[in-house]
Amino acid sequence: MTEPLPVVAAGLAAVLRCPLTGGRLVPVDADRLMSDRPFRDGVHPVYPVVAGIPCLAPAA
C-alpha cells in the first residue's frame, strides 16, 4: 500500500498560515487545507489546493 501524496510540499506547509485566523493550515484531504484555529462561530476556514498551490485569496 502506498502513502498518499502530501497536499503541498512540506517546506511550504511549515510556513503557511491562515489569512483569517493566523493558525497553521493542516490537510483535510488531497485537495483542501483547513486552519487549526476557528474563525467566527467556531468555523475553521477551508482552502482549496489546485495543482499543489494553496488558494488563500477569497473567491471573487
Side-chain angles (χ1 to χ4, degrees), residues 30-49:
D31 47 345
R32 293 185 297 163
L33 295 171
M34 178 178 73
S35 175
D36 68 350
R37 294 182 190 168
F39 186 51
R40 294 187 181 140
D41 301 327
V43 175
H44 293 254
V46 176
Y47 302 95
V49 177

Side-chain angles (χ1 to χ4, degrees), residues 4-60:
L5 293 173
V7 176
V8 294
L12 178 59
V15 297
L16 285 178
R17 295 292 180 262
C18 174
L20 297 174
T21 68
R24 296 186 71 171
L25 294 173
V26 295
V28 174
D29 56 27
D31 47 345
R32 293 185 297 163
L33 295 171
M34 178 178 73
S35 175
D36 68 350
R37 294 182 190 168
F39 186 51
R40 294 187 181 140
D41 301 327
V43 175
H44 293 254
V46 176
Y47 302 95
V49 177
V50 179
I53 301 169
C55 301
L56 304 180

